Amino acid sequence: MIQLRHTGLYVKNLETETKFYKEVFGMHSVCEHLKQADVLIDDLLRHAGASILATKLLTEQGRQSGVDDMLELLQVLIPQSFVNQEVVPEIYRPGCMHLGFGVDDIDDVVSKIIKNGGTKYTDIHMMNNGNKCCFCQDPEGN
């Protein structure tokens, strides 16, 4: 059996992004600002001594079920050796991706997104399956 355990999102400002996802989607913290620096992180970031700060958030459904529905926000702490280099490894840059949330009241959530520093990227559209859909961005454009 295969499960989607979590979605990882690299961010520039862990504080801002954590607040955004908690306020807009009512997500609950599993942990916040957990510093990770080990062999796996060195390998992932291709630099010995690299580290990340991680915040793990669950939706209400994930909290109730105890599995899945987790968003992992990751802020890479760039080692000094890369600060003055012109080329920074790709993994250090926040990436482009999207998350699909199921919500009860799309208008309310879009309003919260805007109120908390995000933007509405598309209008709200009715899909062929009868669901409404709207693409929005968090404060960093994700």
Side-chain angles (χ1 to χ4, degrees):
M1 175 169 50
I2 297 174
Q3 296 176 310
L4 178 60
R5 302 286 307 252
H6 70 272
T7 299
L9 176 62
Y10 288 92
V11 300
K12 293 177 188 174
N13 187 312
L14 192 59
E15 294 278 337
T16 300
E17 295 296 283
T18 298
K19 182 177 184 251
F20 177 84
Y21 285 96
K22 287 169 87 175
E23 291 291 323
V24 172
F25 297 106
M27 297 185 90
H28 306 276
S29 295
V30 173
C31 66
E32 290 190 28
H33 298 92
L34 177 65
K35 186 171 184 178
Q36 294 177 256
D38 54 29
V39 176
L40 173 62
I41 300 301
D42 289 350
D43 189 21
L44 175 67
L45 301 177
R46 306 289 192 249
H47 191 279
S51 61
I52 60 171
L53 291 178
T55 291
K56 297 180 182 186
L57 303 171
L58 290 174
T59 63
E60 183 60 33
Q61 180 174 317
R63 187 170 141 187
Q64 289 177 13
S65 71
V67 296
D68 308 325
D69 265 13
M70 182 185 291
L71 176 62
E72 183 178 48
L73 301 174
L74 303 160
Q75 181 177 337
V76 176
L77 303 175
I78 300 175
Q80 274 304 118
S81 59
F82 280 120
V83 171
N84 294 322
Q85 290 185 10
E86 215 171 284
V87 179
V88 176
E90 186 66 30
I91 194 73
Y92 288 92
R93 299 182 192 130
C96 180
M97 46 86 66
H98 78 265
L99 303 169
F101 288 93
V103 301
D104 292 329
D105 185 342
I106 194 167
D107 295 302
D108 181 57
V109 172
V110 169
S111 177
K112 286 180 182 176
I113 288 170
I114 294 166
K115 178 182 173 192
N116 285 277
T119 57
K120 186 169 93 168
Y121 193 75
T122 69
D123 289 330
I124 297 172
H125 295 275
M126 182 66 75
M127 306 304 288
N128 291 337
N129 63 5
N131 292 331
K132 291 181 180 179
C133 179
C134 180
F135 277 77
C136 296
Q137 294 176 308
D138 69 21
E140 291 186 5
N142 298 301

